[in-house]
Amino acid sequence: MVLQETWLRAGTIRDNIRMGKPEATEEEVIQAAKAAHAHSFIKRLPQGYDTVISEDGGSLSQGQKQLLCIARVMLCLPPMLILDEATSSIDTRTELKIQNAFATMMEGRTSFIVAHRLSTIQEADIILVMKDGNIIEQGNHESLLAKGGFYANLYNSQFAG
């Protein structure tokens, strides 16, 4: 599960990535960090993967904290994936790269994605459109656009130009 509100624990960057798979090798941790596009910022930290952070992430940005949580999921490869605004604090360029990594990871897995940025969900098999706590439309991206309803209006407002 990767949430908009990150959850870290006091310890090293490595410990935080290994949380879901404590027996992971150093190579596996680094591969997961690379898949999450976190490796480069981790290498720039004072002690790299050995940098100690507090539960609030210390001086890490919100985006960096999200990348650590994404690396954690990339390492443990759960059978079900829940992403709740998982890339909301990450810049658009990095988000596109992470979406590609998530797409590979989601193959053969049930995945629930909660998102306001429609670019995050365009490839979903089924999109449930909610308004005021109710599902008002459902379908895939193309069928929802063809309906010309709420989803289509929302999509056009985000991508018209």
Side-chain angles (χ1 to χ4, degrees):
M1 187 165 47
V2 180
L3 307 175
Q4 181 175 8
E5 289 298 318
T6 57
W7 41 282
L8 301 171
R9 68 177 190 197
T12 66
I13 295 289
R14 180 183 297 100
D15 292 341
N16 272 279
I17 295 173
R18 274 190 181 145
M19 196 180 298
K21 187 178 177 185
E23 74 283 0
T25 66
E26 184 71 10
E27 188 175 315
E28 289 174 316
V29 170
I30 291 170
Q31 280 308 111
K34 285 180 178 178
H37 298 276
H39 180 71
S40 60
F41 93 78
I42 293 169
K43 292 301 286 179
R44 290 191 304 269
L45 294 172
Q47 284 83 40
Y49 286 85
D50 293 316
T51 300
V52 176
I53 58 172
S54 58
E55 284 184 20
D56 69 1
S59 63
L60 298 179
S61 71
Q62 190 60 34
Q64 290 170 328
K65 291 188 271 187
Q66 277 190 322
L67 292 176
L68 286 181
C69 292
I70 291 168
R72 183 186 300 149
V73 168
M74 297 281 185
L75 178 63
C76 71
L77 295 174
M80 181 184 294
L81 189 59
I82 300 170
L83 306 174
D84 183 0
E85 297 288 350
T87 57
S88 61
S89 296
I90 297 169
D91 66 273
T92 308
R93 181 180 294 142
T94 304
E95 180 190 23
L96 290 173
K97 293 175 183 175
I98 291 170
Q99 282 178 2
N100 291 334
F102 275 147
T104 302
M105 190 177 144
M106 285 188 238
E107 289 177 19
R109 288 182 172 77
T110 299
S111 303
F112 295 94
I113 305 166
V114 178
H116 287 93
R117 274 192 235 172
L118 298 186
S119 60
T120 308
I121 58 168
Q122 286 180 16
E123 301 300 318
D125 296 327
I126 300 171
I127 298 169
L128 302 176
V129 182
M130 296 187 72
K131 183 178 180 192
D132 301 324
N134 298 306
I135 297 172
I136 59 169
E137 294 177 330
Q138 77 178 44
N140 65 20
H141 176 70
E142 291 77 20
S143 70
L144 288 169
L145 285 180
K147 283 181 186 174
F150 186 82
Y151 179 88
N153 290 336
L154 195 59
Y155 180 82
N156 290 330
S157 72
Q158 285 188 17
F159 295 99

